[in-house]
Amino acid sequence: QKEVEQNSGPLSVPEGAIASLNCTYSDRVSQSFFWYRQYSGKSPELIMSIYSNGDKEDGRFTAQLNKASQYVSLLIRDSQPSDSATYLCAAYTGGFKTIFGAGTRLFVKA
Amino acid sequence: GAVVSQHPSWVICKSGTSVKIECRSLDFQATTMFWYRQFPKQSLMLMATSNEGSKATYEQGVEKDKFLINHASLTLSTLTVTSAHPEDSSFYICSARASVYNEQFFGPGTRLTVL
C-alpha cells in the first residue's frame, strides 16, 4: 500500500516564527511531490511542487525533498495568522493517481 | 492558469432525489479528473478517477451505481448522486490533471445537504 504520512498536529507557532511541516512517503518510485493548503470549509489549493532533491523556494515557502530518506518538508517563514490551515502533502507515482496525506493542522498565534 | 470550476457550490435536496454536480477545467484540457468526498474534520477521500471517454474507476467501497460519473469531454466531468440520502450529505470536490502536468488542481467544492 503506497502511503504518505503526516503528523496530524495541531502544530502551533507564534506569529513571525518558522513553521516546519514534515511528510514521509513509502513508495520509492514517487516522482513528484506537492504541498496543498486547505482552509476550513474550502477545497485544497496547490502552493508548492517539487521534483528534484534539494530546496525550492517561493516567497515565504520553501519545500525540501530528500528522496534517499523518502522525506519532504515545507517551511513557512514569517508565519502569519492567515497561514492557519491544514497542509496536505501529496506524492505522484505515475499512472493516474496522486496519494495524499491526511494533513497537518497549523495554527499561527497572533 | 489551471482553474477548475464546480457547479453548484451548494445544494439542498430531499431524500430520494438525484443531484448532478459539474466540474470544468477552464483553461486547460483535463485528461484525468478525480472526485473526492470530505466529511467535517476528516481527510479527503478519493471516490473515483475518470479519464476522458472511459469509464470511471471507483475506489473500494464506493457504489458506482449510486455515484454516476461521466467524463464526456476534456473539460467537463459530472458526478450524479442518485437517490440521495442524508448520509450522502458531504463536501464533494473535483480535481483535474492535464497530461502536461503532474499537479492536480481542485475545484472549489460542492456542499450537498440531503434532508
Side-chain angles (χ1 to χ4, degrees):
Chain A
Q1 177 73 18
K2 301 172 186 176
E3 291 184 343
V4 174
E5 300 282 347
Q6 295 182 256
N7 188 320
S8 62
L11 173 65
S12 184
V13 300
E15 184 175 0
I18 296 175
S20 178
L21 304 161
N22 304 313
C23 171
T24 58
Y25 59 94
S26 62
D27 192 335
R28 291 189 172 273
V29 301
S30 296
Q31 304 167 357
S32 311
F33 303 88
F34 313 100
W35 284 99
Y36 290 82
R37 177 176 60 201
Q38 186 176 22
Y39 291 114
S40 181
K42 302 293 185 182
S43 67
E45 170 193 12
L46 179 67
I47 53 173
M48 289 285 285
S49 307
I50 187 164
Y51 306 99
S52 349
N53 279 328
D55 295 1
K56 179 181 177 183
E57 186 174 319
D58 184 1
R60 294 187 296 113
F61 298 100
T62 299
Q64 300 174 316
L65 174 60
N66 183 325
K67 289 188 178 181
S69 301
Q70 295 179 233
Y71 176 89
V72 58
S73 65
L74 179 70
L75 301 178
I76 306 174
R77 289 182 299 283
D78 188 24
S79 294
Q80 301 297 309
S82 59
D83 294 326
S84 299
T86 296
Y87 288 80
L88 305 174
C89 173
Y92 174 68
T93 59
F96 299 120
K97 201 179 292 187
T98 298
I99 308 298
F100 284 84
T104 298
R105 287 176 294 149
L106 173 66
F107 290 111
V108 181
K109 299 174 292 186
Chain B
V3 178
V4 177
S5 70
Q6 259 183 265
H7 178 80
S9 56
W10 58 271
V11 57
I12 301 173
C13 69
K14 292 182 179 180
S15 186
T17 60
S18 294
V19 173
K20 180 185 281 190
I21 303 169
E22 287 190 354
C23 176
R24 293 181 185 273
S25 56
L26 298 184
D27 52 1
F28 68 100
Q29 293 186 324
T31 49
T32 307
M33 285 186 164
F34 306 86
W35 287 95
Y36 294 84
R37 181 167 52 181
Q38 189 173 37
F39 294 104
K41 299 192 185 301
Q42 294 190 21
S43 306
L44 286 175
M45 284 176 39
L46 179 64
M47 299 175 67
T49 302
S50 73
N51 293 290
E52 185 264 339
S54 304
K55 287 185 179 180
T57 301
Y58 290 81
E59 295 299 300
Q60 193 170 12
V62 177
E63 301 173 59
K64 62 180 181 181
D65 294 330
K66 181 170 182 62
F67 299 98
L68 302 179
I69 292 171
N70 185 289
H71 189 167
S73 78
L74 285 172
T75 60
L76 173 64
S77 177
T78 61
L79 168 68
T80 301
V81 183
T82 62
S83 187
H85 288 95
E87 58 265 30
D88 298 323
S89 298
S90 189
F91 190 41
Y92 291 86
I93 313 171
C94 75
S95 72
R97 185 170 68 214
S99 59
V100 295
Y101 308 129
N102 292 330
E103 298 97 334
Q104 282 182 221
F105 300 98
F106 285 86
T110 298
R111 196 162 301 281
L112 170 64
T113 301
V114 184
L115 302 177

